[in-house]
């Protein structure tokens, strides 16, 4: 199957890659769903919401500071690096779309990444006064960051119930609409609207290739499911390109 997929990639002029938490799993960053997704007793759905932040901003910040510390120690893995090289390959236009907020794709050398759910290294005003800053205040980490307008500062990420940035989602939609092949790597494909992107591509007759250690709701609808860790499957694919 890897040989067939690499032929599709070789013949493609537009490729879209959609990544999720699974691509960073082998860098030691926990995924969201399943047992390793729990922080203390909390699930992402308990903390990644505007309501949780309104009720307990310090608790939500603690979670993000814990994740920042972990990600700061992590290094990109071979999966991130293969995708960065693929983007710089002259044969096709490769658009990298990521749901991850960890910044590991950029650290692996990806020249551009469409970050659909934001970036946990940026903060912005929780009252939307317009302030967005790249946070340099994480050392020492503080859970009571305030904006110049007095409101809380929050991580510049997309929580449940919040809309994705319209321009960002449009760029992602265009990329999958134009793609000949869409590579879906390490996502459970359950969080919308991003989970709809492979289906949009499929309707335009793109080939959909899933790389995952497990099956997902998308699996029955893909052209190829490459089962295994992204950091081993992606290098095997690259070898054949
Ligand atoms: C490996 C591996 C290895 C492991 N190699 N693989 C339609 C239907 C139903 C519900 C909705 C709908 N439309 C909207 C909703 C509601 C909601 C939603 O989708 N809920 C579902 C859970 C039911 N969506 C939203 O609320 C979104 N907003 C929205 O729709 O707004 C509409 C609106 C319009 C106008 C006004 C107001 C509102 C926003 C969603 C935001 C999600 N945010 C989070 C947190 C981001 C910040 C942070 O990180 O803290 O994003 S939640 C979390 O889930 C995070 C992730 O990006 C996202 C997806 O998770 P991902 O990446 O797939 O990770 P996992 O853990 O789920 O899966 C990992 C996978 O990797 C697994 O499959 C493993 O097998 C695999 N794996 N190791 C390869 N080594």
């Amino acid at each position: 199957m890897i040989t067939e997929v690499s032929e599709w990639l070789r013949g493609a002029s537009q490729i879209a890659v959609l990544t999720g938490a699974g691509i960073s799993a082998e860098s030691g960053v926990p995924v969201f769903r399943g047992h390793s997704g729990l922080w203390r007793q909390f699930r992402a759905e308990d903390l990644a919401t505007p309501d949780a932040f309104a009720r307990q901003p310090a608790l939500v910040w603690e979670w993000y500071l814990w994740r920042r510390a972990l990600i700061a120690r992590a290094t990109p893995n071979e999966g991130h690096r293969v995708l960065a090289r693929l983007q710089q390959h002259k044969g096709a236009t490769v658009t990298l779309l990521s749901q991850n907020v960890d910044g590991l794709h950029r650290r692996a050398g990806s020249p551009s990444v469409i970050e659909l759910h934001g970036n946990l290294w940026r903060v912005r005003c929780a009252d939307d006064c317009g302030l967005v800053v790249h946070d340099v205040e994480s050392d020492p980490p503080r859970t009571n960051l305030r904006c110049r307008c007095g409101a809380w500062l929050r991580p510049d990420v997309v929580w449940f119930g919040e809309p994705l940035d319209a321009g960002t989602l449009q760029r992602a939609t265009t990329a999958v609409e134009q793609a000949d092949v869409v590579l879906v790597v390490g996502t459970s494909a359950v969080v919308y609207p991003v989970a709809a992107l492979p289906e949009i591509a499929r309707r335009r007759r793109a080939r959909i290739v899933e790389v995952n250690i497990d099956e997902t709701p998308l699996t029955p609808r893909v052209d190829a499911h490459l089962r295994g860790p992204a950091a081993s499957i992606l290098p095997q694919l690259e070898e054949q390109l």
Side-chain angles (χ1 to χ4, degrees):
M1 200 74 219
I2 287 204
T3 308
E4 209 172 340
V5 171
S6 59
E7 273 165 24
W8 299 342
L9 290 172
R10 271 202 303 276
S13 60
Q14 306 268 353
I15 299 168
V17 183
L18 170 63
T19 65
I23 184 107
S24 296
E26 283 148 284
S27 293
V29 181
V31 299
F32 291 95
R33 290 164 187 87
H35 195 69
S36 74
L38 291 181
W39 174 70
R40 301 191 187 157
Q41 75 276 30
F42 301 106
R43 301 169 307 140
E45 283 79 358
D46 301 325
L47 297 168
T49 74
D51 280 357
F53 189 70
R55 273 186 276 109
Q56 294 183 285
L59 175 75
V60 173
W61 259 120
E62 255 191 84
W63 181 48
Y64 280 97
L65 292 177
W66 172 78
R67 288 169 62 195
R68 277 185 177 187
L70 202 144
I71 292 162
R73 287 195 303 273
T75 50
N77 64 56
E78 204 44 31
H80 296 107
R81 284 192 287 270
V82 167
L83 295 180
R85 289 194 287 270
L86 191 65
Q87 281 186 286
Q88 288 161 58
H89 197 266
K90 293 283 171 279
T93 303
V94 179
T95 309
L96 179 55
L97 317 169
S98 186
Q99 297 167 87
N100 299 348
V101 300
D102 57 26
L104 287 176
H105 282 302
R106 279 184 205 279
R107 281 171 58 195
S110 272
S112 63
V113 188
I114 298 181
E115 291 178 322
L116 290 150
H117 291 160
N119 187 299
L120 104 175
W121 299 101
R122 266 193 325 261
V123 297
R124 66 179 162 90
C125 174
D127 270 3
D128 279 332
C129 80
L131 182 80
V132 180
V133 284
H134 206 84
D135 183 25
V136 286
E137 295 203 52
S138 47
D139 194 16
R142 290 199 289 134
T143 57
N144 59 347
L145 293 171
R146 291 279 179 177
C147 181
R148 62 186 174 200
C149 74
W152 283 94
L153 283 174
R154 55 165 281 182
D156 190 16
V157 298
V158 184
W159 285 330
F160 285 111
E162 294 182 326
L164 277 66
D165 174 75
T168 305
L169 186 57
Q170 186 53 56
R171 283 167 66 210
T173 306
T174 304
V176 298
E177 280 174 347
Q178 294 178 344
D180 305 302
V181 180
V182 178
L183 211 51
V184 184
V185 184
T187 175
S188 57
V190 295
V191 175
Y192 285 83
V194 174
L197 292 174
E199 188 56 33
I200 291 171
R202 215 175 66 88
R203 275 191 249 123
R204 298 278 180 123
R205 308 209 179 286
R207 306 256 198 199
I208 312 295
V209 178
E210 182 177 52
V211 178
N212 201 303
I213 53 169
D214 231 327
E215 296 201 346
T216 72
L218 183 67
T219 309
R221 308 175 70 77
V222 300
D223 297 284
H225 175 78
L226 303 179
R227 194 165 186 151
S232 354
I233 300 282
L234 292 175
Q236 287 175 47
L237 258 181
E238 185 186 35
E239 252 174 46
Q240 306 212 12
L241 289 180

